[in-house]
Amino acid sequence: MKNAALERAVNLVGGQSRLAKLIGTTQSRIWYWLTRAKRGVPGEYVLLVERATAGAIKRSELRPDLYPPHSSGALPSTQKQQCDNDPEGIEVLP
């Protein structure tokens, strides 16, 4: 299975090894996610990939089953409040 969003992330940061270093994993794991993983990037790495790409690759592109895209592009008020309270700027979905 090909993961287009992850492939774009890899290209954006300069390769599988570079992305792996940025998110604290191995190049072989990135390769596995690209070529073999049924769901692509595991949930615990989605926000790290989004951050490594400076938001160019959205979490909803990487795992729409975990982070459904919002039609308006704005966060629901409960998520915005959680973002505002999170010192690292990562929103936590309920």
Side-chain angles (χ1 to χ4, degrees):
M1 171 182 277
K2 201 78 159 178
N3 186 318
L6 181 58
E7 191 171 298
R8 287 190 355 261
V10 166
N11 292 332
L12 187 67
V13 300
Q16 293 179 22
S17 295
R18 177 75 175 137
L19 181 60
K21 185 174 183 175
L22 289 170
I23 67 171
T25 192
T26 62
Q27 177 274 327
S28 60
R29 190 171 284 169
I30 301 292
W31 176 86
Y32 178 82
W33 297 341
L34 281 166
T35 61
R36 304 273 188 231
K38 292 181 182 183
R39 292 188 181 190
V41 180
E44 60 267 25
Y45 288 94
V46 171
L47 297 178
L48 295 171
V49 173
E50 183 181 60
R51 183 178 286 172
T53 64
I57 307 300
K58 305 292 183 208
R59 63 192 76 181
S60 59
E61 296 175 81
L62 293 162
R63 288 293 301 270
D65 58 322
L66 298 177
Y67 299 98
H70 299 290
S71 58
S72 69
L75 293 174
S77 61
T78 56
Q79 288 178 317
K80 179 165 179 10
Q81 183 179 9
Q82 287 172 335
C83 287
D84 293 343
N85 294 333
D86 184 356
E88 297 199 9
I90 299 174
E91 70 186 66
V92 180
L93 295 178

